[in-house]
Amino acid sequence: MAATPARRAAYEVVLRVFEQDAYADRALASVAAALEPRDRAFAQQIAYGTVQRVRALDHGIETLARRRVAKLDPPVRAALRTGAYQLAYLSGVARHAAVNETVELVRAAGLERAVPFTNAVMRRLTVGLRDLLEGLRDGPVKLSYPDWVAGVWERDLGREAALALMRAQNEPLETVVRLVRGEIDGEPTDVPGAYRVERVDERALEEGRIWPQSRGSQLAGLAVGSLPSDRTLDLCAAPGGKATQLAGEVVAVERHEGRARELADNVARLGATGVRVVHADALDLPAELTGFDRVLVDAPCSGLGVLNARPDLRWRAEPLPELQLALLRVAAERARPGGTIVYSVCTLNADENEAIVAASGLAADDLGAEWPGFRHPTRPEFLLTLPHVHGTSGFFVARLRSPV
């Protein structure tokens, strides 16, 4: 008996993510393209959940199998991880199906010699895994995070808030879109233009009437405060969600050629006629791009505020403070004297947030007074959206002033 197409696809995603350093979303798109929608959704649930929870799963496998996961053959490792995820975290999945199909995945990989071992381990997991994981102390093993991420959050927010944040980023976020034009079947939120919906309307998206964008992300675009008479520079613009929010003349810069093409396509689809796309490195801009009223620096970052949307990111995340500060300094050079600079990052890490603003030496506007519901808990002049508090992705936003 062969494994079902959904479980086979999930296994392939997990194998590619951890053995070939693939991105989970790209791997899923590749292996699940021919699946029926229901099977594709099940494959995604298993694959993304396994990648997200892999630290806890590995702890359970090692404890009950008494074998180091790192010493297993890659196909056995991937199969056991996907099987363990089903046993530990999915309700409504027949345990015998999870066991049998995990064994079949190993057999299909040509590892007949590992079939008895896989079968024995899965049966042990069936009996003891869920209770083992539920009995763990709350922390980075049980909640499946790298130690350094848990440490950063505990340092910045305190232990209880860090644990609440870890729990929140293991759960799906609300689905929110920005209304570009027309009407929408959705619930208005506390961010103007942001609507909570049950699902993204693919037709409305294709026609450019909506754009999937979290409330945290939309807040960063609104903080720019651009007016129809303004010239605004967006230094890291792809895929274009924030650039297409802005009023007036917008120069949207993107370094990577493919992403610049994607940005141009999105600008056209959304009817953002004021946006001009420039394919260039933000750290080496053409001389004529200067004197802007406003500059947006939505900088590359570790992404610690969007971990629930990207299951593999927690295992590859990397702070980028040197790049962030360099981009902020470019913004100060390209803004007119007294112009405004919005610095935003989708991460929750003071080393990439408050510390970058402090290192820039730029004076800050009081954004917290404008958006009190999203005021930073210890630096009220900044904004900080927190998944466990606000139910949206985590964003840090500061509005600064270029020297006069």
Side-chain angles (χ1 to χ4, degrees), residues 15-351:
L15 190 66
R16 294 186 188 188
V17 167
F18 291 113
E19 309 303 334
Q20 302 170 20
D21 201 31
Y23 290 94
D25 57 345
R26 297 177 190 175
L28 181 71
S30 171
V31 304
L35 295 185
E36 296 294 325
R38 184 173 178 178
D39 283 343
R40 190 184 191 282
F42 188 41
Q44 179 174 324
Q45 182 182 28
I46 296 173
Y48 283 16
T50 301
V51 173
Q52 181 187 79
R53 298 280 191 167
V54 73
R55 185 172 185 186
L57 297 172
D58 283 359
H59 173 79
I61 293 168
E62 292 186 347
T63 301
L64 295 173
R66 297 185 290 277
R67 184 81 64 89
R68 290 289 306 279
V69 169
K71 293 187 177 296
L72 301 176
D73 290 322
V76 177
R77 184 161 52 234
L80 284 176
R81 284 168 166 172
T82 57
Y85 174 75
Q86 294 168 67
L87 295 174
Y89 298 108
L90 291 189
S91 57
V93 171
R95 293 190 168 196
H96 70 273
V99 172
N100 294 341
E101 296 204 28
T102 299
V103 170
E104 290 306 315
L105 287 169
V106 171
R107 180 173 280 125
L111 294 172
E112 190 68 37
R113 59 179 169 74
V115 164
F117 169 78
T118 304
N119 185 59
V121 172
M122 284 298 295
R123 293 189 183 282
R124 288 181 205 164
L125 297 180
T126 299
V127 174
L129 180 61
R130 186 168 290 195
D131 288 344
L132 170 67
L133 296 184
E134 288 178 354
L136 290 174
R137 177 176 180 266
D138 276 348
V141 176
K142 180 176 183 176
L143 298 171
S144 194
Y145 286 84
D147 288 339
W148 79 267
V149 173
V152 163
W153 288 346
E154 188 166 342
R155 177 200 69 189
D156 293 350
L157 302 170
R159 176 168 171 76
E160 290 308 312
L163 290 172
L165 178 54
M166 284 191 273
R167 293 188 199 101
Q169 293 228 70
N170 280 343
E171 301 298 329
L173 270 183
E174 63 184 5
T175 302
V176 170
V177 299
R178 174 165 59 87
L179 180 61
V180 178
R181 58 180 175 273
E183 298 181 350
I184 191 170
D185 182 14
E187 174 192 353
T189 69
D190 50 1
V191 175
Y195 289 81
R196 195 174 290 111
V197 296
E198 289 191 12
R199 63 176 182 84
V200 175
D201 183 332
E202 295 297 332
R203 181 175 178 181
L205 176 61
E206 183 61 30
E207 294 174 354
R209 293 184 279 116
I210 61 170
W211 183 256
Q213 190 175 357
S214 73
R215 288 184 292 132
S217 175
Q218 292 191 49
L219 188 66
L222 291 170
V224 177
S226 58
L227 302 172
S229 58
D230 286 336
R231 293 176 66 242
T232 301
L233 175 65
D234 185 347
L235 281 178
C236 311
K242 298 178 188 68
T244 54
Q245 279 183 267
L246 305 178
E249 177 190 339
V250 179
V251 175
V253 175
E254 176 52 46
R255 174 184 177 184
H256 299 283
E257 185 176 359
R259 285 171 58 81
R261 286 196 300 269
E262 177 191 8
L263 171 60
D265 290 344
N266 292 335
V267 165
R269 180 182 298 112
L270 295 173
T273 56
V275 178
R276 175 167 67 94
V277 175
V278 174
H279 175 214
D281 187 337
L283 300 179
D284 187 24
L285 290 177
E288 65 270 16
L289 295 183
T290 191
F292 288 90
D293 300 295
R294 303 174 192 272
V295 182
L296 170 60
V297 184
D298 185 42
C301 66
S302 58
L304 301 188
V306 293
L307 296 184
N308 31 13
R310 294 181 55 190
D312 51 321
L313 182 57
R314 69 185 66 192
W315 310 120
R316 65 172 86 241
E318 180 183 3
L320 300 169
E322 293 85 3
L323 175 59
Q324 292 153 357
L325 183 56
L327 289 167
L328 199 45
R329 286 174 172 158
V330 168
E333 293 169 359
R334 300 298 175 135
R336 65 168 174 78
T340 61
I341 300 163
V342 166
Y343 174 71
S344 68
V345 275
C346 60
T347 194
L348 303 169
N349 179 359
D351 298 336

